[in-house]
């Protein structure tokens, strides 16, 4: 039987979700903890790979077990697994799904958020990127509108990417202001970029944000985004922003995969 697990993690100190040779990964930690609690080897398959340092508040992975008996011990397994996991990884829950459901290939959309603050803040830095330059949110939102749709995003893929196709379908993208609970002074110095697509290329979101920051600083016009997209070249886009401010916040699946009977 197959189960989907909901996982949240702080990516600092890890090489990303996926198992890496000679480097710590979230996948390794989750597999070890679940295997210890359940009492047999459990292999966990994630919805995708997140880069080094990137966080997730709504990650999904699947694993198999011979029967549904573990559902009767759901709370105990969650409790004991979290007791073993490092403090920066949490197993939120798990549910039974159709036996052929796949955490990666059945996902219909993924949502990421990237946080930026432009005034020095000793409390924001762990999960937000400090950009000391004022940013024009309206200009960045104009550029964000240009990436919506089904198109080739090669210009934002990290060199050496192994994606089968560079085509992604971005369904929404935009900037908004927010005020964190730890804000020293109320103001407009905190921005979050939210983007949803059916799939993402490696490093794509961080490269998009870096490109938009060039526009927000006034170094490029919003129309430059179209030139970058048309070029298909990573060299034409802006620099990638740091990974610590990026969060995978949600993954959507078709409802029928949860109807397993």
């Amino acid at each position: 039987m197959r189960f989907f697990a909901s996982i949240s993690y702080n990516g600092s100190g890890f090489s990303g979700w996926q198992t890496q040779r000679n480097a710590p990964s979230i996948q390794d930690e989750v597999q070890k903890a679940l295997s210890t609690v359940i009492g047999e080897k459990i292999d966990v398959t994630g919805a995708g790979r997140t880069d080094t340092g990137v966080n997730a508040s709504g990650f999904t992975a699947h694993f198999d077990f011979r029967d549904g008996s573990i559902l009767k011990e759901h709370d105990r397994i969650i409790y004991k697994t979290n007791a073993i996991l490092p403090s920066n990884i949490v197993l939120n829950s798990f549910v039974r799904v159709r036996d052929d459901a796949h955490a990666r290939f059945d996902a219909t959309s993924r949502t990421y958020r990237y946080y930026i603050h432009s005034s020095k803040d000793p409390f924001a830095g762990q999960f937000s990127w400090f950009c000391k330059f004022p940013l024009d949110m309206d200009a960045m939102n104009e550029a964000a509108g240009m990436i919506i749709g089904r198109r080739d995003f090669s210009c934002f893929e990290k060199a050496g990417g192994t994606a089968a196709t560079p085509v992604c379908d971005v369904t929404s993208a935009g900037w908004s202001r927010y005020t964190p609970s730890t804000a020293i002074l109320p103001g407009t110095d905190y921005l979050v970029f939210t983007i949803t697509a059916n799939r993402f290329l490696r490093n794509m979101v961080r490269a998009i944000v870096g490109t938009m920051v060039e526009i927000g600083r006034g170094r490029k016009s919003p129309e430059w985004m179209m030139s970058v997209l048309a070029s298909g070249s990573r060299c034409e886009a802006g620099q990638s922003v740091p990974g610590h401010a990026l969060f995978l916040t949600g993954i959507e699946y078709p409802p029928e995969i949860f109807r397993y009977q």
Side-chain angles (χ1 to χ4, degrees):
M1 293 181 178
R2 182 152 292 181
F3 302 86
F4 270 16
S6 170
I7 301 165
S8 300
Y9 55 83
N10 173 347
S12 62
F14 292 98
S15 61
W17 161 263
Q18 190 168 320
T19 298
Q20 303 286 321
R21 183 176 297 177
N22 300 321
S25 72
I26 293 95
Q27 183 179 19
D28 283 342
E29 296 293 341
V30 172
Q31 288 182 158
K32 286 189 294 185
L34 270 177
S35 297
T36 299
V37 172
I38 293 176
E40 62 182 68
K41 187 176 186 298
I42 300 294
D43 293 318
V44 178
T45 300
R49 57 183 300 169
T50 51
D51 290 338
T52 300
V54 173
N55 314 290
S57 57
F59 192 84
T60 302
H62 75 248
F63 66 92
D64 295 331
F65 188 67
R66 59 181 176 273
D67 57 53
S69 63
I70 60 171
L71 289 173
K72 298 178 181 177
E73 299 185 275
H74 177 275
D75 292 348
R76 182 189 70 84
I77 290 172
I78 294 293
Y79 177 82
K80 288 189 172 255
T81 301
N82 283 326
I84 295 171
L85 284 169
S87 60
N88 46 2
I89 304 175
V90 173
L91 175 62
N92 301 310
S93 63
F94 61 88
V95 296
R96 186 181 167 191
V97 294
R98 204 170 60 197
D99 288 348
D100 63 348
H102 197 287
R104 178 184 175 187
F105 299 125
D106 283 332
T108 56
S109 73
R110 297 164 170 84
T111 298
Y112 280 90
R113 289 192 173 96
Y114 194 90
Y115 294 87
I116 291 179
H117 60 290
S118 56
S119 289
K120 190 175 181 181
D121 184 334
F123 305 112
Q126 184 178 6
F127 298 117
S128 177
W129 177 49
F130 176 40
C131 177
K132 61 184 179 181
F133 304 102
L135 297 173
D136 183 339
M137 189 177 77
D138 291 338
M140 293 194 296
N141 268 329
E142 186 177 345
M146 298 175 186
I147 67 172
I148 295 175
R150 183 177 176 83
R151 62 180 77 248
D152 184 327
F153 285 95
S154 297
C155 58
F156 298 124
E157 183 177 19
K158 185 175 182 178
T162 58
T165 172
V167 176
C168 305
D169 186 3
V170 175
T171 53
S172 65
W175 292 86
S176 59
R177 300 190 189 281
Y178 78 103
T179 301
S181 59
T182 56
I184 300 172
L185 295 171
T188 59
D189 297 329
Y190 301 89
L191 298 177
V192 57
F193 175 64
T194 305
I195 182 169
T196 301
N198 66 327
R199 59 191 298 272
F200 288 90
L201 305 177
R202 190 176 180 190
N203 205 56
M204 177 174 159
V205 179
R206 291 163 61 193
I208 288 174
V209 172
T211 301
M212 290 189 183
V213 166
E214 291 292 296
I215 294 168
R217 290 179 59 186
R219 291 158 61 99
K220 300 286 186 180
S221 68
E223 292 74 22
W224 177 57
M225 180 63 77
M226 295 305 296
S227 299
V228 172
L229 287 166
S231 74
S233 170
R234 180 66 187 87
C235 296
E236 296 299 316
Q239 293 185 350
S240 291
V241 289
H244 72 279
L246 180 61
F247 285 77
L248 173 60
T249 59
I251 305 173
E252 295 295 325
Y253 294 92
E256 57 266 25
I257 70 173
F258 299 96
R259 300 177 189 139
Y260 49 85
Q261 292 180 333

